[in-house]
Amino acid sequence: MKSSLSCGTSPIVGLRFSIHPMADNFVEIIKGALSKADTSNVWMHTDDVSTVMRGKEIHVFDTAKAIVLHAAATGAHVAFNGTFSIGCPGDTTGDSYLEKEDVLVNEPNVKDYRQYVSSQFGLYPMNNPDYMAIIYKEVERAKECGVFNESMHYASGLHGDIHDVFAFLEETFMHARSEQNKHLVMTVNMSINSPSHKGGS
Amino acid sequence: MKSSLSCGTSPIVGLRFSIHPMADNFVEIIKGALSKADTSNVWMHTDDVSTVMRGKEIHVFDTAKAIVLHAAATGAHVAFNGTFSIGCPGDTTGDSYLEKEDVLVNEPNVKDYRQYVSSQFGLYPMNNPDYMAIIYKEVERAKECGVFNESMHYASGLHGDIHDVFAFLEETFMHARSEQNKHLVMTVNMSINSPSHKGGS
Ligand SMILES: [Ca+2]
């Protein structure tokens, strides 16, 4: 929420997220994940509650997945909480990194990692009378992609390998918006290495 | 997201949330907080990623604050991540607990706790052309209430004593919806006992 009501048509994708390792050495795990990921293609800023990342869509998803994977690779029980956003009317073009080339810098380093993830996502197409139909369509897409887990109140459950889940989320984030309805918000929660996941993979 | 497109006018408030203690004994902290809070006024269900709570608005906020406070009282660094929702067209009346009396069962037990919290919230009034104006109005309300911290991308920063922050959030959740625009979503993240909060109180 910025301080101007002016309309924006920025292609900047933003992600405000937190990584929560349920471990005494949480600082070490978070700092390690951030340093192992290549964050050079996005603008980032961390405060005392969360971290914001801005850039091209492909780089935001590439960087976010790498950070989650590097934290997960420690074996700790880790939660990821993120809100993806595009097209907010109050958004600015600052901190955009939109000049970066379309070459993924993290995918080559993490593509061979395997990691089971249980996730829940919510889609919020703003100012759109057809938003419920869009949501149901994307839930159907999750089923077709094989990452759907279960229906639930206020979210939809996904699970599977983290690469499949992130690929679905990136695709859905592209499909659930349009030229007429630019402002889209997507919330994502992930649980990794949970004691509740009895050998799930 | 439920499987029916039928319209609902349910007064049920829902909250899907997670408590993330950044500590090796996270299970003990979470279970302790859930058992110390009186959850008898809400319907609750926990899965491997989050917990959903449904009931009257006053009881959802009363119960949520108590759970957060009981986790915080352990002294651990704890994150709260929640999505409040009301008026979703696909929602059902099941699991509602709407017959409960308007007597808060947790407030008497936690009202004397003092706890600094840094928080970020996002408001998503669905299918409402005036949604940006509503958001700016509620950010102004945060300033008037003395809990505003800072502007930022994709959220607004709040901080202060947890009772003041929760009171603001509950008030905003009531004000940001209307008879014409029933479906409202509010995301809330809180960071408590963070090493980043140098003696904040
Ligand atoms: Ca979280």
Side-chain angles (χ1 to χ4, degrees), chain B residues 11-22:
Chain B
I12 301 171
V13 167
L15 166 64
R16 183 168 284 284
F17 73 99
S18 301
I19 295 275
H20 297 303
M22 262 70 82

Side-chain angles (χ1 to χ4, degrees), chain B residues 96-131:
Chain B
S96 62
Y97 280 47
L98 292 181
E99 79 284 7
K100 295 285 180 181
E101 289 179 23
D102 288 346
V103 179
L104 300 183
V105 290
N106 287 287
E107 186 65 18
N109 300 328
V110 301
K111 66 181 169 50
D112 293 332
Y113 283 58
R114 287 294 164 265
Q115 177 66 56
Y116 174 81
V117 55
S118 185
S119 180
Q120 295 171 355
F121 84 112
L123 273 178
Y124 305 104
M126 300 308 294
N127 190 17
N128 186 342
D130 298 325
Y131 72 106

Side-chain angles (χ1 to χ4, degrees), chain A residues 18-20 22 79-82 188-190, chain B residues 18-20 22 79-82 188-190:
Chain A
S18 300
I19 295 275
H20 297 303
M22 262 70 83
F80 167 80
N81 163 237
V188 177
N189 285 286
M190 291 183 176
Chain B
S18 301
I19 295 275
H20 297 303
M22 262 70 82
F80 167 81
N81 162 239
V188 176
N189 286 286
M190 291 184 175

Side-chain angles (χ1 to χ4, degrees), chain B residues 68-69 72-73 75 113-117 160-163 191-193 201:
Chain B
V68 176
L69 265 172
Y113 283 58
R114 287 294 164 265
Q115 177 66 56
Y116 174 81
V117 55
D161 187 82
I162 191 170
H163 296 285
S191 175
I192 292 175
N193 300 330
S201 66

